[in-house]
Amino acid sequence: MLKLEVVPLINSDGEVNLTIAQVNDTVVGTQRIEPNDIPIIGTEQLVTSVNVPDGQTVVLGGLISEEKKKDTEGLPLISRIPGLGRLFKDDTDSKVRRELIIFIQPQVVTDDGTLRAASRSEDFRTSVGGDAAREFPDYIDTNVPPATPAAEGKKPVGVLSRWFNRTPRTAPRPLVR
């Protein structure tokens, strides 16, 4: 499982200082504790800080994983005979390599106009957001209060927790012009 947490700070020059924490947990094996197999988890983590001008893109790479596999297929029983079994089985070695690349593009929002422009631009960047923007062109949501996990007795999980803990509304609010 990959976890990514980004903390942005805007300096006086309009640049964004991003503190980025990446944690990659993978199962590297198992240990038998009767009656269960317990996974052994390998953790890779990285914390870095970078200054990015407004609207520029940072590329994070280096999260590479490789998986090696050895499969044997053959005729039951006959393929297990020493020497002769090689004629009746097929050994296959495979290696899968994955690399995760993350693109982050911070955008400084200073007023309601730039907020709407940034929101609309982001809506059209994805198919779901584009569909919603085409379906409801006269509505924009700028007044959604952030979630208050402390009020509900919950602890915030991370930077993105305020986005996923919003309470749904019944109808969109009209765009104030």
Side-chain angles (χ1 to χ4, degrees):
M1 172 185 4
L2 176 68
K3 293 181 253 177
L4 180 70
E5 187 163 334
V6 179
V7 178
L9 296 172
I10 303 169
N11 66 23
S12 60
D13 296 331
E15 288 186 335
V16 181
N17 178 279
L18 299 174
T19 301
I20 303 166
Q22 299 174 16
V23 179
N24 189 16
D25 294 331
T26 56
V27 177
V28 294
T30 58
Q31 180 177 358
R32 182 84 177 157
I33 299 177
E34 288 299 328
N36 301 320
D37 285 331
I38 307 299
I40 299 171
I41 298 179
T43 300
E44 299 170 299
Q45 61 185 10
L46 170 74
V47 177
T48 188
S49 181
V50 63
N51 282 336
V52 184
D54 180 23
Q56 297 299 311
T57 303
V58 173
V59 180
L60 304 174
L63 290 173
I64 300 170
S65 63
E66 284 188 6
E67 183 180 324
K68 295 178 183 176
K69 226 179 186 184
K70 185 174 185 173
D71 292 325
T72 302
E73 294 181 5
L75 293 173
L77 300 175
I78 298 175
S79 63
R80 295 184 189 169
I81 299 172
L84 183 62
R86 289 187 200 161
L87 299 173
F88 298 98
K89 69 179 178 180
D90 183 30
D91 292 328
T92 307
D93 293 331
S94 63
K95 184 167 121 177
V96 176
R97 179 184 166 106
R98 294 183 188 99
E99 182 171 357
L100 178 64
I101 299 174
I102 300 168
F103 296 87
I104 300 175
Q105 184 180 44
Q107 188 168 0
V108 177
V109 176
T110 56
D111 58 16
D112 286 345
T114 55
L115 173 64
R116 285 188 195 100
S119 178
R120 194 164 295 265
S121 170
E122 198 60 28
D123 283 347
F124 283 113
R125 210 171 65 81
T126 65
S127 63
V128 173
D131 291 345
R134 280 188 292 283
E135 187 70 29
F136 305 104
D138 294 330
Y139 296 93
I140 187 168
D141 183 15
T142 59
N143 298 317
V144 174
T148 54
E152 299 171 15
K154 297 180 184 175
K155 239 170 92 178
V157 177
V159 173
L160 300 178
S161 64
R162 67 176 177 259
W163 290 335
F164 294 105
N165 291 331
R166 289 185 176 164
T167 54
R169 290 188 324 230
T170 56
R173 295 187 182 120
L175 173 65
V176 179
R177 294 182 190 208

